[in-house]
Amino acid sequence: METSLRRIDERVALDPTDWGGRPEEREISARMYQTKEGVPKNGIIIDATAPIAHVVNEILHQIEANEH
């Protein structure tokens, strides 16, 4: 959750009109993060805070696993 809010803060610092700049938008983001609301039932959660090579390898691994 901290990473998500930090990323919103970084975007809003560059563009105050970007989504997440208003308190109600931050609340929506926090709720969706906590409840996983909006994540498809067959969605795959990947830790995007890991090094990019790990993220890419995990995505490729998931694709390969789903092809079989």
Side-chain angles (χ1 to χ4, degrees):
M1 171 96 144
E2 289 177 29
T3 301
S4 177
L5 293 176
R6 179 180 47 78
R7 289 178 177 171
I8 289 172
D9 290 342
E10 290 170 357
R11 284 197 327 269
V12 170
L14 296 174
D15 178 1
T17 65
D18 200 355
W19 197 91
R22 297 180 15 219
E24 57 270 19
E25 294 168 343
R26 289 179 68 84
E27 290 172 18
I28 291 168
S29 181
R31 183 189 74 238
M32 291 183 78
Y33 181 87
Q34 291 172 340
T35 65
K36 305 294 186 242
E37 177 184 337
V39 175
K41 296 291 183 220
N42 62 346
I44 298 169
I45 297 173
I46 297 174
D47 179 6
T49 64
I52 190 70
H54 177 78
V55 173
V56 170
N57 286 337
E58 182 63 20
I59 291 168
L60 294 174
H61 171 76
Q62 294 293 335
I63 290 170
E64 187 176 285
N66 286 325
E67 287 178 348
H68 296 109

